[in-house]
Each structure stands twice: as C-alpha cells, then as structure tokens.
Amino acid sequence: MLLRKSLLGATLLTGALVTQAAAENTFKFAFQGTLKSLDPYSLNETFTLGTLGNVYEGLTKRGPDLAIQPGLAVSWEVVEPTRWRFKLREGVKFHNGNDFTADDVVFSADRVRSEGSDLKTRIPADAKFEAVDDYTVDVVLTAPNPILHYEWDTWAIIDKEWSEANDSVRVTSASDQAATTISLQANGTGPFKITDHNAGVKTMMESNADWWGAGDKKYNIDKVEFSTIASDATRVAALLSGEMDLVYPVPVQDIARVNDNATTTAMTGPELRTIFLGMDQMRDELLYSDVKGKNPFKDKRVREAFYHAIDIEAIKAKVMRDLATPSAIMLSPFLFDNAAQFSRLAYDPDAAKALLKEAGYEDGFEVGMDCPNDRYVNDEAICQAVVAMLAKVGVKVNLNAQPKAQYFAKVLASGGFDTSFYLLGWTPGSFDSWNVLSNLHGCRDEAGNGGMFNLGGYCNADVDALATQILGENDPAKRLDLITQAYQITTGETAYIPLHQQGLAWGVSETADVVQRADNVLMLYHVNMK
C-alpha cells in the first residue's frame, strides 16, 4: 500500500512536471528580413538593433510611448555644462555571469567609435568617458550637448572581459564576411538570451531568469522563435494558419484579409520612418551610368527633374494602398513643429523634361539604382514604380533589387559607398532633427568619414555649421529656428527626394498581446501570451 502511494505520488509529480513544461509560453514571430551578425555595432538598422535590444541593453531605454527611461543607468545629471554623470545600476550581470561595471561602459564607448562600427554617431567622437568608480561614469564633452543620451537605448553595452577573452574587441562591419565570436554569439544583460542562431534563417531565445528587472516583469513568454520569411504570401499564410503569433510587415494588400480572418488582426499605425531616394552628388563620374566624364546629379536641375518625375500620389494609392503619408522633408512631421512650412515639388513630367533638356540631357541618360527588396514596406515595388516614372521623362533606370544583407553590404562598402542612385529609409534614433542632419546630410570625405548614411555625399558647409549649433543649443525656440533654416537649405538644393512616411502593419494572432511602437521596434518584454 505504501509502495502504491509512492508510485501514485511519483505519477502525480511527473504529471505536474509535464503540465509545467506544457505551460511554457513560446512566442513565434517572423519578419521579412534577416538577422545576420549578432554584433550590435555591425549595422545601424532598426530591425537588427530592435531585436538585439532584447538581448543587449543601453544606459537608457524607451517605453511604449518612446519616452526615455532608465536602463543600465538609473540616473544622470549635467554636473557642468560639458560634463554628464551617469549612475549605473548595481547587481547587473551579463548572461555569462560577469558583473556589469563602469569599465564595460568605457570599453563600449571606445568600441562603438572604432573602425567597422556602424553606430559611431551614437557618441561624439571627442567625448571622453571616465570611470569615477565601479558604478559611476562621467562623460566629458568639448561643447554642451542637450541630446547626448537620446540614442543610447540602441547603444548596447558590451562585456569588456568577455570581448577581450573571445577575440571580439574588433567590430564586424556589415560588409565584413569574416565572422568573430561576437557576430555568432551574444552576451548581453537583457531580459532574453540567445540560445541558438542560424544567421539569416532562425534565432532562438529564452527568458533570462537572472535579469535585473525579472522581479517586476510584465511579460509571460519563456521562449522565443524568430524566423525570416521573405515571401509576403508565405509570411501571411504562416500567421493565418496559426504557425506564427506575429508577422511583420503585412503587405498593404493583405491587411483586409488578415482582419477578416477570425483569429488574426492587422495592427496599423503611423511610423516615424521616412522613405526617400538618394543620388551620388560627390563623384566626378557616376559608377553606374552611360554618362562619362561628368556626374549628372551634381546639377541641381537634374535632381529637381527626378523629383518632378515622381508621382507620389500614385505610389501612395497603388503601391502603398494609402498606408503612407507623402513627405516634403527628411523627417516625420510628428517630430518637427515647423513641418507644415515645407511642401513637395509638384509631380510635373513636362517640367522634368524641360529641366533635363536645360541641363544638357534632352535625350535622357541611363543610371543604375540600388534597392532593398525585404527591408521596407513594398520597397521593391516602390523602386519599380520610380523606374517606370523616370522612363516617361527619358531616363532609363537599371534596377538592382537585393535582400537587405546584400544591399547594405554593397551600398555601405568600405572605401566608398557603392551606389549611384538608391532607395533608403530612415528613422532618427534620437527622434530629433540633428540625427537627420548629421547622418544623412553631414559632409563626408573620400574615405567615407562624415555623415554615416550620407551615401550620395551631399555637402553644404552652412548645413554642417547649423547642425553644430543645433547640437549645442538648449533654447527650444532658437533650436527650432536653426533646424528650420537647415531644412530650408537642404530642400532648396534637393539634397534628397523624400517620398513618404510608411505606415506600420503587423499581423497578430489572438494568442498574443503585443505593443506596437511608432519606431517599428518589437520589444519582447511588451509581449504576453493569452
């Protein structure tokens, strides 16, 4: 009888363990693009940084409303106009058990500004980081900077000891094919650990029970499976069949279908990202063109002609199915109070032809165009529409549409940006105009130093001077005026051709409750399984 009771107890215990195991919440999601390198400094791209932001952490983080919150720093203050002091969170451990200290912050500040890093602009080049003690770091600047920490939620803090022991001090850039330990393995402080990574295919994570915020966590997922599903049709089918709990983006043409399905919903909303066209204005001769001995894009009339040739309303209606807002500047109007002062150049093919003729290209010319096909909403379709529109004014565009890994490796190639005409999207990580003026408009030299994503080499010394003033201006009214002046110059010179702010469209199963942020970042600690 005692034996029978013991067996019964064992059976009950086993049943309890099986029930507990079965109760584990696994969240499965898919994105159109890939997660390649796990080095958080390799690629300044929203999906990569957002996904790795669940594993690594910055000194700050952002809430669902994008407000700045304490992260690995619990507080900060400006102790002198050019000295900031950050108090670090104590008791934090990296996933391998190493303690997080001020030495890791100083190391990460040096590493993020080193060769190969795509996130150099997260920190001023001349800023000095000083470890006051194990949990206090001072940042000494050469000039005041009221937005110093605005982008630090995506500046991941790296374990100095682990990096040095694992040959991972060197940053593996987006165009670098030589893998290092940090590009294949992750060792952060965040709420999730990467347990398996098949680069570009699938990544597995599990909840970090030792996370410093675990005691107050508001999510209930234990494991995460991320898959790349490049095909729109396959991605949507995976959601509708119940294979996936979340997929994004949902193609605009499939939003109604997702909503009509009994167990899924399309979450839509405005995104802060601007989709735009850029042109090589730096080289004396384009890399990809039949025009030899000169560069057509150095002529403002040619840039204006391209702008006039774009029927943005047709792109909005036919390509984006109205899930887009045409833009006149390189920044979301949600982030700039004077946005209404700016308007787009009108769609006018005749004006485009006249400008091309005036510039000496009456018969048009030929040019290559680079475009991702799995990064932005309907990106390749947008590029195809642009190709057709430019053909109507006599310009032949040879489209090179590639998956984002190959696209970014090409256009960000070391030694000079490898493109003549391209489509790109940009959300300022700081949600501030200085980011746009610095990264997309800052003058750069032949070696690529300067504006990190100024692929076309636009340069105006007055804009650079204004950007410097903007960075150090504390008065909001004066700062707004300086920003307005800068945009007046850049739009007047047709530095770029802004297209639209794309809309967000996520497909969510009834099995999951998620938070959709306007920066298109999925934070797993905002996910709950029902």
Side-chain angles (χ1 to χ4, degrees):
M1 188 68 174
L2 288 174
L3 178 61
R4 186 175 297 173
K5 285 185 176 180
S6 298
L7 289 172
L8 177 60
T11 303
L12 290 172
L13 179 60
T14 303
L17 291 173
V18 170
T19 302
Q20 182 180 358
E24 270 194 343
N25 288 321
T26 299
F27 176 67
K28 300 180 180 181
F29 77 100
F31 181 67
Q32 66 178 358
T34 58
L35 179 64
K36 288 283 192 181
S37 172
L38 297 182
D39 186 338
Y41 301 167
S42 288
L43 184 61
N44 188 10
E45 183 248 348
T46 298
F47 175 74
T48 299
L49 294 179
T51 303
L52 293 180
N54 293 291
V55 179
Y56 288 94
E57 296 177 292
L59 295 183
T60 65
K61 62 180 183 177
R62 289 188 181 268
D65 60 354
L66 302 181
I68 295 175
Q69 300 176 344
L72 291 179
V74 295
S75 65
W76 48 89
E77 61 177 327
V78 182
V79 294
E80 299 171 8
T82 56
R83 181 182 290 268
W84 289 56
R85 177 159 294 164
F86 291 82
K87 292 291 185 180
L88 306 183
R89 195 176 296 277
E90 299 185 29
V92 175
K93 291 189 178 293
F94 287 94
H95 294 162
N96 69 342
N98 287 349
D99 291 327
F100 159 69
T101 69
D103 287 343
D104 300 307
V105 177
V106 175
F107 168 78
S108 298
D110 291 337
R111 188 177 188 273
V112 80
R113 291 177 290 181
S114 66
E115 183 180 357
S117 172
D118 205 30
L119 279 77
K120 291 179 181 178
T121 57
R122 290 296 187 275
I123 301 172
D126 52 5
K128 295 181 180 179
F129 281 66
E130 300 175 352
V132 179
D133 57 43
D134 281 350
Y135 296 102
T136 307
V137 172
D138 278 6
V139 183
V140 183
L141 308 170
T142 56
N145 182 347
I147 62 169
L148 175 69
H149 63 309
Y150 274 29
E151 293 185 80
W152 284 8
D153 57 304
T154 53
W155 168 37
I157 301 301
I158 308 292
D159 182 353
K160 177 178 184 290
E161 180 184 351
W162 180 86
S163 296
E164 292 174 343
N166 288 277
D167 189 28
S168 294
V169 174
R170 179 179 68 85
V171 176
T172 49
S173 71
S175 58
D176 191 346
Q177 302 301 313
T180 57
T181 302
I182 198 171
S183 66
L184 301 172
Q185 301 175 21
N187 180 38
T189 60
F192 291 87
K193 300 178 180 180
I194 291 180
T195 56
D196 187 63
H197 177 61
N198 186 353
V201 181
K202 180 171 285 191
T203 301
M204 311 289 285
M205 304 183 202
E206 65 180 24
S207 182
N208 176 18
D210 298 320
W211 181 46
W212 56 265
D216 190 37
K217 73 176 188 178
K218 296 179 173 60
Y219 61 91
N220 67 1
I221 53 177
D222 304 297
K223 294 185 177 181
V224 178
E225 295 182 13
F226 161 68
S227 301
T228 294
I229 304 181
S231 164
D232 289 342
T234 306
R235 194 166 61 252
V236 171
L239 174 71
L240 298 179
S241 69
E243 179 185 348
M244 291 289 162
D245 300 302
L246 168 72
V247 302
Y248 70 112
V250 171
V252 291
Q253 59 271 22
D254 286 330
I255 289 175
R257 182 173 165 222
V258 170
N259 280 330
D260 288 342
N261 186 54
T263 60
T264 58
T265 302
M267 296 178 67
T268 60
E271 188 181 2
L272 302 178
R273 183 180 312 280
T274 301
I275 305 298
F276 62 90
L277 302 174
M279 301 150 282
D280 180 355
Q281 303 166 51
M282 189 172 186
R283 291 182 174 88
D284 292 328
E285 180 179 296
L286 293 175
L287 294 176
Y288 306 100
S289 177
D290 63 347
V291 178
K292 302 304 176 184
K294 60 181 178 178
N295 178 349
F297 290 135
K298 282 181 176 285
D299 192 323
K300 176 187 170 184
R301 293 170 296 186
V302 173
R303 302 195 299 272
E304 285 188 354
F306 272 50
Y307 200 143
H308 279 300
I310 305 301
D311 186 349
I312 196 63
E313 292 298 329
I315 291 175
K316 175 186 175 183
K318 297 178 181 178
V319 179
M320 298 300 293
R321 305 290 181 96
D322 290 326
L323 196 70
T325 304
S327 179
I329 55 174
M330 298 288 288
L331 181 76
S332 166
F334 292 111
L335 303 175
F336 178 46
D337 289 344
N338 285 350
Q341 294 183 14
F342 296 84
S343 57
R344 292 183 55 82
L345 291 183
Y347 169 56
D348 190 339
D350 290 336
K353 292 177 183 177
L355 284 165
L356 287 171
K357 180 179 180 180
E358 186 180 325
Y361 303 99
E362 183 175 4
D363 297 325
F365 61 91
E366 191 171 327
V367 66
M369 180 183 190
D370 291 292
C371 182
N373 62 15
D374 63 354
R375 177 59 193 91
Y376 311 113
V377 177
N378 287 355
D379 41 15
E380 184 174 5
I382 295 169
C383 290
Q384 290 170 342
V386 168
V387 169
M389 292 168 185
L390 287 169
K392 293 180 179 179
V393 300
V395 176
K396 181 183 179 183
V397 178
N398 300 312
L399 180 60
N400 178 27
Q402 303 180 89
K404 70 170 186 176
Q406 292 95 313
Y407 167 81
F408 282 117
K410 179 180 187 295
V411 301
L412 297 176
S414 58
F417 300 117
D418 184 6
T419 186
S420 295
F421 181 43
Y422 59 93
L423 178 138
L424 193 65
W426 192 260
T427 302
S430 61
F431 309 125
D432 179 85
S433 285
W434 180 82
N435 173 287
V436 173
L437 294 170
S438 174
N439 284 284
L440 299 180
H441 298 84
C443 294
R444 64 176 178 83
D445 57 28
E446 293 288 350
N449 300 312
M452 288 290 290
F453 274 75
N454 182 3
L455 310 188
Y458 168 81
C459 181
N460 185 304
D462 291 336
V463 174
D464 274 9
L466 283 166
T468 300
Q469 288 180 265
I470 289 163
L471 183 61
E473 181 55 65
N474 289 307
D475 183 281
K478 292 180 180 177
R479 200 165 188 275
L480 179 62
D481 180 62
L482 292 170
I483 293 170
T484 304
Q485 290 180 46
Y487 285 138
Q488 286 170 342
I489 295 172
T490 60
T491 57
E493 292 185 330
T494 318
Y496 291 95
I497 302 175
L499 296 177
H500 56 243
Q501 271 77 48
Q502 67 180 24
L504 295 175
W506 296 5
V508 185
S509 168
E510 63 178 3
T511 57
D513 182 19
V514 305
V515 172
Q516 185 182 64
R517 291 184 2 178
D519 60 353
N520 202 26
V521 166
L522 172 64
M523 298 310 299
L524 297 171
Y525 53 72
H526 292 153
V527 176
N528 279 281
M529 300 302 288
K530 299 176 183 177

